[in-house]
Amino acid sequence: MQKPQLLGPVMATPNGTVVHPAYFLLVGIPGLGPNTHFWLAFPLCLMYALATLGNLAIVFIIRIERRLHEPMYLFLAMLSTIDLVLSSVTMPKMASLFLTGIQEIEFNVCLAQMFLIHALSAMESAVLLAMAFDRFVAICHPLRHASVLTGPTVTKIGLAALTRGFTFFFPLPFILKRLSYCQTHTVTHSFCLHQDIMKLSCTDTTVNVVYGLFIILSVMGVDSLFIGFSYILILRAVLELSSRGAALKAFNTCISHLCAVLVFYVPLIGLSVVHRLGGPTSLLHVMMANIYLLLPPVVNPIVYGAKTKEIRSRVLHMFSQGGR
């Protein structure tokens, strides 16, 4: 089959010409050969199956169980929906790359994937912040919890998370389209990220650098600060409880959320730091990006399923019914 031309149409601009490639080339894991990539596709497919089934099960259980129509579980359903879409945006294409070795991804498809990855990550960050606020109110102001986090309020928070993620990251494809790509067209990950595409440009990327840093700090940075502040207040309230048993019980309700926060933010912060330090993309860059995008959709349903009694009992009931 004939390969498409690497360079796409050249568009005239007042400052010269803007060269867009017809496609970018994705890369798997540096240092691994085609055979290793082929076999890695199978655990990746298993991870995708676990992420899909786990998140669908959580959304389905929360949907049909009326007693789970509480803020904590509604936010969990939002988190599972985001993880479901995020895993579908990244894992199938990555598995196809490993299985077939076909590296090409069309320019506009790459930009669309990049936008969805970043926007969905911002939405997940907002939902994690909302869940931290829910735990803060439930532990520090339990009598006001029902009046503060009403059904309409939870809906508005979900819509705000959706709107903010879309609004902040919608300009990214357009500021990448204003750049010329006349050097290498190899993206050094198995998916498209803003920092990675930006580095392929042979024109000035100041706008991209400044805007990228601005949205990381104003979205994920602000969210992480508020989550940390919420847990400082939660910890202070827990330590003030007279009964040790009551303190452990109160803090135990936060364990699942803390795991989700750590799985999401630790790789994100590490990835942001290594990208900002510059230099050639290394195995560390790639592995941290893979952990950041692939791990949360798989781990979150397992953690919440194991730690949440209502979800765990419902899943066990579904399996017992299916085994009859």
Side-chain angles (χ1 to χ4, degrees):
M1 186 157 88
Q2 190 177 0
K3 261 191 174 182
Q5 297 240 343
L6 186 61
L7 292 180
V10 178
M11 297 176 293
T13 66
N15 297 324
T17 57
V18 175
V19 182
H20 290 164
Y23 59 87
F24 287 120
L25 299 176
L26 299 175
V27 173
I29 300 174
L32 300 183
N35 289 336
T36 308
H37 277 114
F38 178 82
W39 290 110
L40 281 177
F42 294 99
L44 183 62
C45 291
L46 177 62
M47 288 176 65
Y48 181 53
L50 288 173
T52 303
L53 293 174
N55 287 296
L56 276 176
I58 286 179
V59 173
F60 176 72
I61 290 168
I62 294 173
R63 173 70 180 83
I64 64 174
E65 287 285 346
R66 294 193 63 84
R67 60 186 175 141
L68 297 182
H69 291 185
E70 298 177 6
M72 179 174 71
Y73 300 113
L74 294 176
F75 288 135
L76 175 57
M78 295 179 195
L79 186 69
S80 294
T81 303
I82 293 168
D83 281 340
L84 189 62
V85 179
L86 184 58
S87 61
S88 297
V89 167
T90 54
M91 291 188 189
K93 179 61 182 175
M94 192 173 176
S96 172
L97 168 67
F98 286 5
L99 277 171
T100 65
I102 298 175
Q103 297 177 275
E104 291 87 356
I105 181 171
E106 289 183 16
F107 179 74
N108 288 323
V109 173
C110 184
L111 295 186
Q113 186 192 51
M114 177 273 307
F115 165 72
L116 287 171
I117 287 173
H118 291 300
L120 289 166
S121 297
M123 294 173 200
E124 182 153 347
S125 178
V127 172
L128 289 172
L129 174 58
M131 296 172 87
F133 178 67
D134 169 70
R135 292 298 83 209
F136 162 72
V137 178
I139 293 173
C140 300
H141 305 283
L143 299 178
R144 298 178 57 192
H145 184 262
S147 60
V148 171
L149 285 167
T150 61
T153 302
V154 171
T155 303
K156 289 176 183 176
I157 291 173
L159 289 174
L162 180 68
T163 304
R164 189 189 67 160
F166 180 86
T167 304
F168 272 82
F169 290 92
F170 185 69
L172 287 186
F174 298 100
I175 62 176
L176 284 171
K177 277 196 167 188
R178 55 179 284 278
L179 302 177
S180 280
Y181 303 89
C182 45
Q183 300 176 5
T184 178
H185 299 91
T186 302
V187 178
T188 51
H189 292 90
S190 305
F191 33 76
C192 298
L193 298 175
H194 174 250
Q195 307 97 310
D196 217 13
I197 301 173
M198 178 184 68
K199 288 180 179 178
L200 301 179
S201 172
C202 55
T203 48
D204 182 34
T205 59
T206 303
V207 173
N208 300 71
V209 172
V210 172
Y211 188 71
L213 185 60
F214 165 73
I215 53 179
I216 283 291
L217 293 177
S218 59
V219 177
M220 279 74 163
V222 170
D223 289 352
S224 60
L225 285 177
F226 277 115
I227 290 172
F229 184 62
S230 297
Y231 272 101
I232 290 172
L233 296 178
I234 289 170
L235 190 60
R236 189 179 70 176
V238 167
L239 293 175
E240 288 176 355
L241 293 173
S242 55
S243 167
R244 180 179 175 84
L248 289 174
K249 185 178 179 181
F251 197 73
N252 191 51
T253 63
C254 302
I255 297 298
S256 299
H257 179 254
L258 271 175
C259 290
V261 168
L262 291 174
V263 167
F264 180 80
Y265 278 106
V266 170
L268 171 64
I269 293 169
L271 184 62
S272 298
V273 169
V274 294
H275 270 298
R276 293 295 176 270
L277 290 176
T281 302
S282 64
L283 179 62
L284 177 64
H285 290 72
V286 175
M287 293 308 298
M288 292 190 75
N290 289 342
I291 291 171
Y292 163 59
L293 286 178
L294 305 182
L295 202 59
V298 178
V299 171
N300 287 342
I302 295 173
V303 170
Y304 276 99
K307 291 292 295 179
T308 309
K309 181 182 176 182
E310 293 83 357
I311 294 176
R312 185 174 66 249
S313 61
R314 182 68 187 187
V315 170
L316 291 174
H317 176 71
M318 288 167 64
F319 275 109
S320 64
Q321 290 289 102
R324 288 180 185 176

